[in-house]
């Protein structure tokens, strides 16, 4: 434990917790402090000026990261017949119908992303209590309920990141790995932030993007000047 504490303290050295860093400087700090024995995930957190308890202030969507997530994503598809064949051909890890519903109901969830054809939703709807809390329930708003299962599988495998605002008005997501070049992390972060900005709900009042911070799996958080994340 002492060793972990020492490493954590070293990682926090020279980071001013009250300063708002430019995005490129923050990425550099995060990368230089990602010293774990595995390739740490770089995560971003956006504090938004919304209250998601109100339907007109809900923020959700999907973003295609230009440089992918760096993570291997296991995809399950609920489909039958030709659509099941299309999903398998596109690289889906698990494909099924009633059999897959039974597996999930029994507690076997061996996947990270879940896609369904529209005709399967009456069946998949039974899994709301299982998949909902995990943020895996297929939803047409984020492209996971679709007849184009091949495209959805390709997107999920290629860097599609779903986001949904939490109770405190925070949206967070993994936007790459610490091993990524700084320029690729910068592009991913800006793409993700742009997607969240475009998802601004009609009920949002005042300043929408209030605070931004990045961190790595084992590293310290670094606060970012929001103006350096927007645009460009």
């Amino acid at each position: 434990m002492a060793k972990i504490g020492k490493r954590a303290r070293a990682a926090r050295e020279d980071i001013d917790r009250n300063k708002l860093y430019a995005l490129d400087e923050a990425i550099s700090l995060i990368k230089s402090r990602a010293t774990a024995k595995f390739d740490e995930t770089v995560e971003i957190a956006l504090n938004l000026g919304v209250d998601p308890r109100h339907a007109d202030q809900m923020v959700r969507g999907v973003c295609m990261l230009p440089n992918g997530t760096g993570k291997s994503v296991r995809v399950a598809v609920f489909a039958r017949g030709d659509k099941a064949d299309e999903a398998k051909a596109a690289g889906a890890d698990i494909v099924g119908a009633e059999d897959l519903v039974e597996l999930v109901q029994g507690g076997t969830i061996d996947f990270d992303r879940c896609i369904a054809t529209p005709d399967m939703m009456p069946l998949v709807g039974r899994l709301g209590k299982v998949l909902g809390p995990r943020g895996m329930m297929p939803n047409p708003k984020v492209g996971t309920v679709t007849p184009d299962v091949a495209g959805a599988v390709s997107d999920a495998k290629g860097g599609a990141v779903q986001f949904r605002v939490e109770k405190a008005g925070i949206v967070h997501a993994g936007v790459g790995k610490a091993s990524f070049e700084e320029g690729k992390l910068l592009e991913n972060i800006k793409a993700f932030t742009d997607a969240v900005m475009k998802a601004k709900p009609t009920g949002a009042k005042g300043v929408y993007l209030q605070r931004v911070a990045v961190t790595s799996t084992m590293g310290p958080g670094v606060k970012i000047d929001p103006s350096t994340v927007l645009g460009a």
Side-chain angles (χ1 to χ4, degrees):
M1 290 296 290
K3 188 175 181 182
I4 295 172
K6 186 177 179 181
R7 192 185 70 79
R9 282 197 300 275
R12 285 171 173 77
E13 282 181 3
D14 302 325
I15 293 179
D16 185 343
R17 296 181 72 99
N18 298 311
K19 178 180 176 180
L20 296 180
Y21 289 87
L23 177 58
D24 55 355
E25 189 179 3
I27 291 173
S28 180
L29 285 169
I30 288 297
K31 278 179 60 67
S32 67
R33 284 158 174 75
T35 57
K37 293 180 180 178
F38 60 92
D39 194 4
E40 297 182 40
T41 296
V42 175
E43 297 192 359
I44 188 168
L46 309 176
N47 289 64
L48 305 177
V50 297
D51 182 350
R53 291 176 297 181
H54 300 288
D56 66 347
Q57 295 187 48
M58 172 54 67
V59 180
R60 73 180 306 167
V62 64
C63 170
M64 281 299 299
L65 297 179
N67 301 298
T69 62
K71 178 184 176 184
S72 176
V73 178
R74 285 183 60 80
V75 179
V77 178
F78 291 91
R80 292 192 181 96
D82 291 345
K83 292 298 179 183
D85 294 337
E86 287 176 25
K88 289 173 186 172
D93 299 276
I94 307 166
V95 180
E98 285 85 357
D99 55 336
L100 183 51
V101 170
E102 284 182 24
L103 267 178
V104 175
Q105 282 179 326
T108 302
I109 303 176
D110 188 23
F111 51 84
D112 308 297
R113 190 71 53 83
C114 187
I115 295 162
T117 53
D119 62 296
M120 292 297 298
M121 286 311 292
L123 259 182
V124 179
R126 301 176 195 169
L127 303 175
K129 289 182 180 177
V130 182
L131 297 176
R134 291 174 170 82
M136 290 184 177
M137 193 65 184
N139 189 302
K141 291 183 179 178
V142 293
T144 49
V145 176
T146 173
D148 181 16
V149 289
V153 170
S154 296
D155 285 349
K157 293 277 189 180
V161 173
Q162 295 179 27
F163 58 87
R164 178 175 178 147
V165 69
E166 297 175 354
K167 288 180 182 177
I170 298 171
V171 169
H172 63 82
V175 288
K177 295 289 185 178
S179 62
F180 281 22
E181 295 173 7
E182 289 185 17
K184 290 187 175 181
L185 283 172
L186 188 110
E187 288 175 359
N188 277 2
I189 287 172
K190 291 203 170 185
F192 181 76
T193 307
D194 286 347
V196 175
M197 294 302 292
K198 287 173 183 172
K200 180 179 178 179
T202 54
K205 301 290 188 288
V207 178
Y208 178 53
L209 181 60
Q210 298 186 337
R211 291 188 296 279
V212 183
V214 290
T215 185
S216 63
T217 307
M218 304 295 288
V222 179
K223 295 176 183 176
I224 296 175
D225 179 351
S227 68
T228 67
V229 180
L230 300 172

